[in-house]
Amino acid sequence: MRQGVEKDKFEERYSRQILFRGIGAEGQRRLAAGRVAIVGCGATGSAVASLLARAGVGTLRIIDRDYVEASNLQRQSLFEEKDAAESLPKAIAAARKISAFNAEIVVEARVEDVVPRNIEALLEGIDVILDGTDNFETRYLVNDYALKVSRPWIYAAAVGSYGVTLNVVPGKTACLACIFPDSPRGMVETCETSGILNTAVNLIASVAATEAMKLLLGGAALGKLRETLWSFDVWANKHVEIAAGKPRVGCRACGERDFVHLTGEGRPHITMCGRNSVQIHERARPIDFAEMQRRLETLGVVRHNEFVLKFWHEPYEMTLFPDGRAIIKGTTDAGVARSLYARYVGS
Ligand SMILES: [Zn+2]
């Protein structure tokens, strides 16, 4: 009896989607059983997560290393002013927001940077991986991992008025490295983007989320998957498509299976992070925020919650995470950042 009531509720909630011929009642159940990871929850990640959550994808794992800032609110649709005021991690803020409009799905928030050391653990048990990152380093890493374990992933990016996306189905289509053997120049964005229209974001998120649903549905829906690198400029109204249905012969990643990004060769320990910040990729230094607050209080303004500690010491602003990772604003010099970190956190 109870089962029957639950079933009615489910079918009522998703009735407009079940009516759509490409999905139906069986398709809706497949979406409910689906497990999607969203790597990076900025603008594109927010939009994709929101769409898939409302569509009833049963498990979403949202992975993001960053915290919400006021400048995100123009385009990052899962966040509110109070999230920025509290400097909440994006993954946590996104999970809270989603639970307010769909409490029936599972959202797993992971406040982490996806790196070679943790990618297997972070993406374990996932059916489809969606790209919400802003950098090619992580995308190549995801590409290598997806090819290695034969899991589909969807590249999606938006810059300015332009969005671009590609489905990568290992063993079938081209991969990211087939099309871009190296990072495309002029498209590499850092944590702070240089300018973007929220409409371009939502467009590309809609296209990518639909393709993700086809992958989860399987069967006839797979025949509807796009096999091109697709881009659209909402300002210029220009549309470009490049064939990507077949792997490129001799591709380093999908052809030779040489997963250089997965082995982490040449990965920097300190990276530039936007126009005026440096990130220290420390991960093995558990931080006691209460203790750190006491230590720093006499030196400047400090505040923390359970996820993040912020410390202002003119002209610098340091954001510290529980695993020891830090973002230092006010410098682009790795040496200065290293010494500030050593001074305030430890060396
Ligand atoms: Zn390839």
Side-chain angles (χ1 to χ4, degrees), residues 38-42 61-67 89-92 108-124 132-135 138 141-142 267 279-284 307 321-325 327:
I38 294 159
V39 179
C41 193
R61 187 174 301 159
I62 298 177
I63 309 160
D64 193 289
R65 68 183 183 190
D66 224 337
Y67 54 93
K90 291 181 178 179
I92 304 285
E108 303 169 353
R110 299 274 195 276
V111 186
E112 292 208 56
D113 200 3
V114 177
V115 293
R117 181 187 55 76
N118 65 13
I119 189 167
E120 296 198 14
L122 285 173
L123 297 179
E124 198 188 359
T133 68
D134 58 1
N135 68 86
T138 309
L141 175 62
V142 168
R267 202 180 164 89
Q279 178 166 188
I280 315 249
H281 293 265
E282 174 67 66
R283 283 177 208 94
F307 312 107
F321 296 84
D323 57 0
R325 185 167 60 85
I327 293 173

Side-chain angles (χ1 to χ4, degrees), residues 175 177-178 251 253-255:
C175 81
C178 287
C251 172
C254 67

Side-chain angles (χ1 to χ4, degrees), residues 140-185:
Y140 284 126
L141 175 62
V142 168
N143 189 60
D144 276 5
Y145 170 80
L147 293 168
K148 187 184 170 196
V149 302
S150 198
R151 198 71 28 86
W153 80 280
I154 301 176
Y155 159 59
V159 180
S161 56
Y162 168 92
V164 57
T165 180
L166 168 76
N167 299 326
V168 177
V169 182
K172 188 167 183 293
T173 69
C175 81
L176 186 69
C178 287
I179 294 180
F180 303 116
D182 301 298
S183 292
R185 288 173 61 187

Side-chain angles (χ1 to χ4, degrees), residues 23-274:
I23 296 182
E26 172 56 24
Q28 191 62 50
R29 280 190 287 278
R30 284 192 195 168
L31 293 181
R35 298 171 62 85
V36 170
I38 294 159
V39 179
C41 193
T44 311
S46 271
V48 155
S50 176
L51 290 166
L52 293 179
R54 287 189 192 271
V57 171
T59 302
L60 294 178
R61 187 174 301 159
I62 298 177
I63 309 160
D64 193 289
R65 68 183 183 190
D66 224 337
Y67 54 93
V68 183
E69 292 181 274
S71 64
N72 302 148
L73 301 175
Q74 165 253 359
R75 67 197 176 283
Q76 302 188 10
S77 55
L78 285 176
F79 310 133
E80 299 176 2
E81 289 175 359
K82 68 172 170 52
D83 301 329
E86 291 174 29
S87 297
L88 268 191
K90 291 181 178 179
I92 304 285
R96 286 186 185 171
K97 180 79 175 186
I98 289 170
S99 71
F101 66 77
N102 194 347
E104 288 165 17
I105 63 164
V106 175
V107 182
E108 303 169 353
R110 299 274 195 276
V111 186
E112 292 208 56
D113 200 3
V114 177
V115 293
R117 181 187 55 76
N118 65 13
I119 189 167
E120 296 198 14
L122 285 173
L123 297 179
E124 198 188 359
I126 287 298
D127 302 318
V128 180
I129 305 160
L130 273 160
D131 170 22
T133 68
D134 58 1
N135 68 86
F136 263 84
E137 191 177 16
T138 309
R139 288 182 180 124
Y140 284 126
L141 175 62
V142 168
N143 189 60
D144 276 5
Y145 170 80
L147 293 168
K148 187 184 170 196
V149 302
S150 198
R151 198 71 28 86
W153 80 280
I154 301 176
Y155 159 59
V159 180
S161 56
Y162 168 92
V164 57
T165 180
L166 168 76
N167 299 326
V168 177
V169 182
K172 188 167 183 293
T173 69
C175 81
L176 186 69
C178 287
I179 294 180
F180 303 116
D182 301 298
S183 292
R185 288 173 61 187
M187 283 181 59
V188 183
E189 294 282 285
T190 53
C191 312
E192 290 174 14
T193 56
S194 54
I196 186 164
L197 293 184
N198 57 17
T199 50
V201 170
N202 281 16
L203 173 77
I204 217 66
S206 289
V207 174
T210 311
E211 297 297 296
M213 285 199 267
K214 294 176 193 173
L215 285 163
L216 294 174
L217 290 165
L222 295 180
K224 300 286 186 190
L225 275 173
R226 201 192 61 258
E227 295 186 339
T228 61
L229 177 83
W230 185 92
S231 70
F232 193 86
D233 186 320
V234 293
W235 202 255
N237 286 305
K238 278 201 181 126
H239 162 235
V240 178
E241 265 189 295
I242 296 166
K246 293 268 175 298
R248 176 173 56 81
V249 175
C251 172
R252 184 263 313 158
C254 67
E256 295 168 14
R257 297 182 73 77
D258 180 13
F259 302 131
V260 291
H261 296 275
L262 212 46
T263 55
E265 286 163 31
R267 202 180 164 89
H269 186 61
I270 291 190
T271 55
M272 301 308 297
C273 179

Side-chain angles (χ1 to χ4, degrees), residues 286-335:
I287 305 281
D288 178 342
F289 281 166
E291 167 61 27
M292 189 59 71
Q293 170 116 21
R294 275 192 293 278
R295 197 194 295 184
L296 296 175
E297 254 164 6
T298 55
L299 302 167
V301 179
V302 198
R303 62 186 169 86
H304 77 274
N305 56 29
E306 110 193 59
F307 312 107
V308 68
L309 179 142
K310 287 194 121 181
F311 170 56
W312 290 266
H313 184 82
E314 286 294 332
Y316 307 108
E317 176 190 315
M318 182 168 71
T319 305
L320 195 59
F321 296 84
D323 57 0
R325 185 167 60 85
I327 293 173
I328 296 171
K329 273 192 188 167
T331 183
T332 53
D333 184 328

